Amino acid sequence: ENSIEKTTKTKDVEYKSQEATYLDKEAAELSADRSGVQAEQDAVLEYLSKMEKECTEVAETYASRKARFEAEIAGLKEALQVLDSETALLQRRSAKTTHGQRR
């Protein structure tokens, strides 16, 4: 009876050790799988975030529109001043050359 109990307990320990080894191996594999899936999910979420930024239409605020228009108007006024001053210079030159010429 004592030897039967000892054999039974020895086999139980052996099976429990095998099961523990199997479960450790399985846990390591699942952990590696989870890491791979997590990396893939992170890449997909990053791509999704990038696509949302590119595809989502955001209305321009009044302040930014006003600032853009004011900058455009200032540039156009400056260009007009440059053109006016060049035109005045050209008119002065042509007036000098036509007054100095004899027909």
Side-chain angles (χ1 to χ4, degrees):
E1 188 177 309
N2 197 12
S3 66
I4 294 175
E5 279 185 42
K6 183 177 180 185
T7 306
T8 305
K9 288 184 181 184
T10 305
K11 287 294 181 182
D12 282 347
V13 168
E14 185 180 318
Y15 292 136
K16 298 272 185 192
S17 296
Q18 288 176 356
E19 185 178 3
T21 304
Y22 169 77
L23 290 175
D24 287 344
K25 181 181 173 187
E26 193 69 22
E29 288 177 7
L30 291 174
S31 179
D33 288 350
R34 183 184 182 281
S35 297
V37 170
Q38 184 66 46
E40 187 177 339
Q41 182 188 22
D42 291 344
V44 168
L45 290 175
E46 181 181 344
Y47 180 75
L48 177 64
S49 173
K50 181 182 175 186
M51 287 290 103
E52 283 177 344
K53 287 178 185 175
E54 290 179 10
C55 297
T56 304
E57 198 171 316
V58 178
E60 190 176 14
T61 64
Y62 172 76
S64 64
R65 246 183 320 168
K66 182 180 176 187
R68 186 171 47 87
F69 287 143
E70 287 175 350
E72 185 178 352
I73 289 171
L76 290 172
K77 285 182 180 178
E78 183 179 337
L80 182 61
Q81 287 176 348
V82 169
L83 289 174
D84 283 344
S85 66
E86 287 179 3
T87 304
L89 288 174
L90 289 176
Q91 287 176 353
R92 287 185 199 150
R93 285 186 190 157
S94 64
K96 287 181 183 178
T97 56
T98 55
H99 290 301
Q101 292 178 351
R102 294 185 187 206
R103 292 184 185 184

